[in-house]
Amino acid sequence: MSTEKVHDAEKASIEDYREEHHVDLANNVNARIQNPLHGIPKAKLLAQVEQFAREKGMEEQLPYLKKGALLAQNPKDFENIPELDEEDRAIIRREVTHKWSQPKDMYKTVIICSIAAAVQGWDQEGSNGANLSFPDEFGISDGAGDPNASTNQWIVGLINSGPYVGAALIGCWLTDPLNILLGRRGTIFVCGIFCTLSVIGSACAQSWPQLLTTRLLLGIGMGAKASTVPVFAAENTPASIRGGLVMSWQLWTAFGIFLGVAANLILSGIGPIAWRLQLGSAFLPAIPLVIGVYFCPESPRWYMKKGRYQEAYRSLKRLRNSELQAAKDLYYVHRQLEEEFAIIKGSNYFSRFIELFTIPRVRRATLASFVVMIAQQMCGINIIAFYSSSIFVDAGYTEKQALLASFGFGAVNFLFAFPAVWTIDTFGRRNLLLFTFPNMAWTLLASGMCFFIPSDNAARVPLIALFIFIFAAFYSPGEGPVPFTYSAEVFPLTHREMGMSWAVATCFFWASVLSMTFPRMIGALGAPGSFGFYAGLNVIALIMIFFLLPETKQRTLEELDYVFAVPTSKHIAYQGGVFLPYWIKKWVFRQKHAELKPLYNFDEVESITVFEKGVGH
C-alpha cells in the first residue's frame, strides 16, 4: 500500500471516530487534543498503530508502539493491560515512585533551561549597579543639581528600558517564526548569541546612543528566549516533573538577579570602568548556554511537526528511561498533532494573532494573561530590581552600602521564591496573588513613608531597606512565579506559542514603560510620591485580579475550557455578588455557617484526561 493511501486510511479512521462520538473540535479541541485516544476500541487502535508504523517506516518499533498506544489510552489502568508484561509494569510504577530518576540527557535539558533563566535575571540586573556611574561617564547626569536633569532622567530611563523595548516590540514576536525555522535549540542558540555579544558591546560603548543600541539588541535575545525556553522544557520533560520545570523559570531568573547584584557588588571597587564590567559580566552565563544547548536533544514535538519521526523517536529515547515510554509519547503526541492540524489547518501567523481576540474562549485567556502580566509591573518590583542601588544612595547610603543593600534584596527575592514550589498547586495561583498584593501595597507605602524620617536619624535607611526586603518576600512566592506558570497553561494548545508571545510581550512592554519613567518620576515626585504611586497600583492590580482572573490550579485542559467558557461578565458578577459577601461573612463577621455557592459545576464535565501541571506535550 502506498504512503498516501496509508495516510488517507488513518485520517479516515480518525474522522470516523469523530463522527461516531460527535466531537465538535472547534468547541472541544483541548479535550480531544489532550487525550485523542479516549474511547477507541482496542482492535481499531492497534490497526491505526500498524498503519502509522508503516507510514513512518517504523515497523521495527511496532511492538513498542502498540504497547505505548494502549498505555497512553489508559495510563491509570496499566496494571490491567494484558499486552504489558511485568517488566513493563515495573517501568511504569517506577515512573510514579521515582519521578526524579531521569536519564542524563533529561537533566542536561533541565540545566540548560535553568541557565537560560539565570541569564535572563543577570541581564536584567546589570544596569542596577551601572546606573550609579554611567550617566556621569556620558554627560547625562540625572542629579538634582544638573541643569538638564529632567531631560537626562528620561535618557537614563530610556537606556535602562532598552532591553524591554527590544523584547516587547521585536524579540517576543520573533518566537513563532524562529521556532518554525530553527527549532527550539536553534532559537535558544541564536538568543544566547544576542545575549553574549550585546552585553559585551554595552561594556565597550563610547556614547549613550551606542549603549542604547546594544541594550535594544539584548532585548531581542531576551524576548525570544523567555517565550521559547519554557516551551522547550515542557516538550522535553515527562508529565510527572513538568509543572516543577515551568515553575523553575521564575526561580532561576531570581537566582540570576541574585548573581547580578553579587557581581555589581564585587566589581564596584574596580574604579571608573566598574559600570562597564557590571554590564558586561552578564555574558558569563550566556557562554555555557550557547555551548551546551546542542548537547540537549531537540524537542520531539518539533521534529514531529516537521515530519521527522525517526529523529523524534531517537530524541525521546534519550529523554525517557525506557523504549516503552518513548514509544508511548511518540504515538500520543502524533495523535495530538493530528487533532491540532485539523483545527488550525489553513491558519497562519497573523490569523492566530487575531484569534487571540476574536475566539471567545481564547480571548478570555488573553485577558487573564494580560492582567497577571501587567500586574507584575504594577506591583513595583522592578523599580527595586532596576533602581535599588540608586534608591539606597538617595536614601543616604554610600555606593558600597547601597550595593550591599541591593545584594540583600536579591537574596530575599531568590530565597522566598521557594515557597511557591509547594504552594502554587495547593494554595492556588489566584489565592497567592490575593494574599500577597495587599501586603505588597502596605510594605511599599511604608518604605516610601520612611523617606520622611530626618536624614540624621540612624533608623532612616535601615527601615527603608527593611520594608523593601519584606516587600520582596511577599512578591517572590506570589506575583513572581505565577504570571509565567499561569500564562503557560491558560491558552489552548493551538494558540499556545502565540499566546505566550503575547503574554511575555505584555510583561516586557510594561517593564519598559516602568524603566523609562521611573527616573523622571523620582525627580518629579521624590521617593515617597513614587513609592506611594506604586502602592496605589498594587491596590488597582488586586481589584483587577479579583474580578478578572479565574483560578486554574489542578484543572485538566478540558476543565480549563469549561472555566474559560464562562463569560467575563458572569465571572465579575459572581466575584462581586457571591464570593465577596461570603468572604466578609466568614472572615470579617466570623459566621461559621456561611456557605459559598460554586461558580463552576465540574460534575458537568466528563474529564477524560490525565492531569498535568503546566503546559501540555
Side-chain angles (χ1 to χ4, degrees), residues 384-400:
I384 312 298
F386 301 163
Y387 294 106
S388 62
S389 298
S390 302
I391 289 169
F392 287 127
V393 167
D394 290 343
Y397 270 169
T398 64
E399 289 191 7
K400 186 78 170 183

Side-chain angles (χ1 to χ4, degrees), residues 386-617:
F386 301 163
Y387 294 106
S388 62
S389 298
S390 302
I391 289 169
F392 287 127
V393 167
D394 290 343
Y397 270 169
T398 64
E399 289 191 7
K400 186 78 170 183
Q401 290 171 326
L403 289 168
L404 276 168
S406 294
F407 177 80
F409 161 77
V412 170
N413 185 44
F414 174 56
L415 293 174
F416 279 86
F418 282 96
V421 175
W422 295 281
T423 58
I424 197 164
D425 278 312
T426 53
F427 199 49
R429 290 90 161 117
R430 175 184 165 88
N431 287 334
L432 277 172
L433 299 182
L434 293 177
F435 171 73
T436 55
F437 263 91
N439 289 295
M440 287 192 290
W442 76 259
T443 51
L444 204 57
L445 182 63
S447 184
M449 293 300 100
C450 287
F451 278 86
F452 288 121
I453 298 173
S455 56
D456 58 354
N457 190 318
R460 182 176 192 258
V461 185
L463 280 174
I464 292 171
L466 173 65
F467 285 117
I468 286 176
F469 291 172
I470 297 173
F471 167 80
F474 281 118
Y475 165 83
S476 292
E479 186 59 22
V482 167
F484 277 86
T485 305
Y486 190 92
S487 298
E489 64 193 0
V490 296
F491 289 100
L493 288 164
T494 51
H495 293 75
R496 178 155 291 146
E497 287 170 342
M498 183 61 69
M500 276 298 286
S501 294
W502 155 262
V504 176
T506 298
C507 182
F508 283 149
F509 173 77
W510 291 104
S512 72
V513 172
L514 179 152
S515 185
M516 193 182 303
T517 57
F518 189 70
R520 183 67 197 118
M521 183 182 290
I522 282 281
L525 302 179
S530 302
F531 277 50
F533 175 79
Y534 278 97
L537 289 185
N538 270 280
V539 176
I540 295 172
L542 173 68
I543 295 169
M544 291 167 59
I545 289 164
F546 181 78
F547 285 108
L548 299 173
L549 205 72
E551 180 58 83
T552 61
K553 72 162 183 174
Q554 298 188 354
R555 297 295 176 205
T556 65
L557 288 185
E558 185 181 24
E559 289 168 340
L560 286 180
D561 270 347
Y562 188 80
V563 167
F564 285 99
V566 174
T568 303
S569 58
K570 182 177 179 181
H571 187 269
I572 293 172
Y574 173 83
Q575 300 301 336
V578 179
F579 181 82
L580 186 59
Y582 157 80
W583 189 89
I584 292 172
K585 289 177 184 176
K586 184 173 179 66
W587 297 108
V588 178
F589 296 114
R590 298 291 178 176
Q591 296 181 7
K592 295 181 180 179
H593 302 294
E595 291 187 7
L596 178 65
K597 180 183 176 184
L599 173 59
Y600 311 113
N601 180 10
F602 287 107
D603 291 338
E604 297 175 10
V605 183
E606 181 189 356
S607 181
I608 59 173
T609 64
V610 179
F611 170 64
E612 296 182 359
K613 294 188 291 182
V615 295
H617 276 287

